[in-house]
């Protein structure tokens, strides 16, 4: 079985893939659309992409691509804590305070703002396309006095030495990754899951004020709870949105199907993105 | 009176500022946080920043900064159509098909993807920090065979020649700009406004499932209509959000204040971001 993921090697997505599919073949793709299309066009069996982060919010590229471009299902979710480490080439462990430049992805750099401000105020910051790309650059430039912010897997993969663990300002930062498939069969792991979710993408009937309230009513009186609601632009005009609803339960026989049928009867478009188990690496 | 705006000169925000405040002093800032802080710390009287775009969705930096960092009010909104033009240095109008490189902001380039694919497939694309920065670079490098994608104001400001008007793929692309102030007095223009809006930022009581439905119920049964609802991460943990509600009416004497009081009685935090007129340049 072939599993596509948002590359390069040693990104946080790679960590997620290794956890979910330790024994399968992993195929990195350089962009989220390429990764999603690889499943759609049957180049891979599944794809793993990021969907949401505690600090940054939804990954719009993933959400929009799933709504506008393809008909794929989410068959599992994996939550991964985001731990950032400061690392250098092994030749530079002794003189690590002389680092002149720190490389990383702009999000990772922002996540470690306070640490960098306190300990490396004189160093310049340079952005790379991923945290793994920063680690790779260090390996290829042992002569330079540079450090990278990246994860443990990147340090292992590129043979770098971690000089400070867990330098992120905020300890409860997580990313939600999802597994995408052409069929809706949920992914079952031996480790067992903590809970289940169902995700719907809903468009409202045009010019029907109060329609969103009706959609939420159809769920609320049945005691179907939402863990998330988010609007995204339909790209047809300012003020036109679709809504992503994360429901805190798996698809059942009666309540959720009836709620969806009623939304459709009200003129809503409902796309069932999946009903899936939620796993965690912790 | 001094008006801060997201610079540099000749951006779409500059167009918005010139429309709203034709006679006042305009002060450009290089980032959205700097621009917002300039009002907060009384360096300027008002600030104009982008809040939402038809294709890209909300400008998260603006929304998050207004929620987390400052206590400012929106006192007006201006909707501006986003028209992109292809321009060159006047020396190169004759041989404009020989353009080797096209410069612009990544969003503008994406908006003109089909046009570029059809007419300039051989040209490389280079990203700049704003459309105006691309125009400025052209003016400073008359010897290079390059073109920029930017707005009409940038062509005027930097003395460039537009060789193709309106090259965006999608004609109904607009950006919403807002005027921020330390006081809540709405901005009144001679031109008159098309409608009014009230924007609330709401946090829900923790672990109270169905609370979002209650918030929307408090508005729905009073026939108070929403034009937008959006969730943003609270940055405290995955699954914690605040909600931005755009209401299609100005603050009134009874209905809206009572709805807000009831939300607060339910344990919600409600931040009134403003009740303001909506203007348009069209």
């Amino acid at each position: 079985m072939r599993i596509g993921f948002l590359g390069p090697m040693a990104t946080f997505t790679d960590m997620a893939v290794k956890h979910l599919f330790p024994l399968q073949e992993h195929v990195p793709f350089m962009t989220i659309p390429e990764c999603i299309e690889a499943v759609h066009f049957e180049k891979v069996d599944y794809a793993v992409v990021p969907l949401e982060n505690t600090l940054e919010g939804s990954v719009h590229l993933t959400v929009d691509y799933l709504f506008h471009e393809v008909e794929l299902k989410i068959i599992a979710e994996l939550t991964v804590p985001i731990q950032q480490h400061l690392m250098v080439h092994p030749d530079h462990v002794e003189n690590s305070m002389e680092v002149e430049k720190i490389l990383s992805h702009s999000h990772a750099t922002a996540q470690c703002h306070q640490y960098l401000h306190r300990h490396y105020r004189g160093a310049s910051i340079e952005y790379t396309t991923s945290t793994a790309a920063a680690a790779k650059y260090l390996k290829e430039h042992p002569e330079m006095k540079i450090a990278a912010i990246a994860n443990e897997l990147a340090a292992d993969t590129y043979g770098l030495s971690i000089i400070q663990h867990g330098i992120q300002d905020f300890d409860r930062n997580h990313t939600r990754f999802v597994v995408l498939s052409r069929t809706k069969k949920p992914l079952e792991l031996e480790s067992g899951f903590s809970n289940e979710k169902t995700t719907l993408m809903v468009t409202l009937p045009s010019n029907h004020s109060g329609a969103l309230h009706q959609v939420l009513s159809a769920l609320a009186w049945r005691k179907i709870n939402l863990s998330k609601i988010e609007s995204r632009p339909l790209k047809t005009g300012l003020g036109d949105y679709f809504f992503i609803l994360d429901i805190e339960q798996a698809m059942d026989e009666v309540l959720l199907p009836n709620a969806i049928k009623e939304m459709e009867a009200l003129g809503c478009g409902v796309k069932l993105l999946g009903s899936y188990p939620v796993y965690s690496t912790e």
Side-chain angles (χ1 to χ4, degrees), chain A:
Chain A
M1 205 158 59
R2 289 159 59 83
I3 319 294
F5 72 100
L6 178 64
M9 308 301 279
T11 56
F12 283 98
T13 316
D14 193 9
M15 287 175 73
V17 174
K18 286 189 162 68
H19 183 89
L20 289 165
F21 303 99
L23 303 173
Q24 277 81 8
E25 182 189 354
H26 304 162
V27 188
F29 292 90
M30 291 315 291
T31 67
I32 288 172
E34 283 175 72
C35 193
I36 295 177
E37 292 206 337
V39 199
H40 179 72
F41 290 116
E42 307 188 24
K43 290 182 200 159
V44 295
D45 297 283
Y46 300 137
V48 180
V49 290
L51 185 71
E52 186 183 8
N53 172 266
T54 311
L55 301 179
E56 310 293 339
S58 282
V59 181
H60 295 320
L61 207 48
T62 302
V63 170
D64 289 357
Y65 218 82
L66 289 177
F67 180 81
H68 290 287
E69 307 292 339
V70 291
E71 290 290 332
L72 295 175
K73 297 292 177 195
I74 297 177
I75 59 162
E77 170 180 325
L78 180 71
T79 303
V80 178
I82 302 299
Q83 294 273 341
Q84 305 285 8
H85 311 302
L86 191 68
M87 53 194 73
V88 295
H89 192 278
D91 296 354
H92 292 298
V93 175
E94 296 304 312
N95 54 354
S96 67
M97 288 316 293
E98 293 168 22
V99 159
E100 288 163 2
K101 190 157 52 173
I102 295 172
L103 276 65
S104 195
H105 189 271
S106 59
H107 286 183
T109 312
Q111 285 161 22
C112 306
H113 175 75
Q114 288 173 25
Y115 175 85
L116 295 177
H117 185 70
R118 227 174 283 133
H119 300 282
Y120 287 92
R121 210 171 305 181
S124 67
I125 306 286
E126 195 170 301
Y127 297 141
T128 50
T129 51
S130 66
T131 53
K136 184 159 181 272
Y137 189 90
L138 254 64
K139 182 193 161 74
E140 292 164 355
H141 295 83
E143 76 288 359
M144 293 175 77
K145 288 184 181 170
I146 50 181
I149 300 170
N151 62 36
E152 202 142 8
L153 181 60
D156 287 352
T157 304
Y158 297 108
L160 303 178
S161 305
I162 294 178
I163 54 172
Q164 186 69 52
H165 281 83
I167 63 168
Q168 68 279 356
D169 298 336
F170 175 63
D171 259 333
R172 294 171 62 198
N173 187 21
H174 289 76
T175 296
R176 288 173 68 193
F177 293 94
V178 288
V179 183
L180 302 174
S181 163
R182 290 181 298 278
T183 56
K184 67 180 183 181
K185 187 175 176 296
L187 182 72
E188 280 170 29
L189 298 188
E190 279 179 19
S191 61
F193 50 82
S194 57
N195 59 306
E196 292 174 282
K197 269 187 198 165
T198 301
T199 298
L200 305 179
M201 288 177 152
V202 178
T203 53
L204 303 180
S206 56
N207 297 319
H208 180 350
S209 61
L212 180 63
H213 175 248
Q214 281 189 302
V215 164
L216 296 186
S217 294
L219 300 170
W221 78 259
R222 290 177 169 96
K223 291 203 179 286
I224 298 173
N225 291 329
L226 292 179
S227 60
K228 181 181 177 187
I229 178 170
E230 174 151 333
S231 51
R232 281 295 302 155
L234 273 177
K235 310 196 178 195
T236 49
L238 204 59
D240 300 340
Y241 304 100
F242 69 94
F243 296 86
I244 306 131
L245 309 185
D246 280 357
I247 292 166
E248 290 181 331
Q249 64 173 64
M251 181 59 71
D252 63 358
E253 294 291 316
V254 179
L255 289 171
L256 205 41
N258 278 6
I260 291 173
K261 269 182 221 150
E262 288 173 18
M263 290 176 202
E264 288 171 339
L266 290 167
C268 297
V270 184
K271 185 167 174 171
L272 174 63
L273 203 55
S275 183
Y276 51 90
V278 176
Y279 299 99
S280 167
T281 59
E282 286 177 297

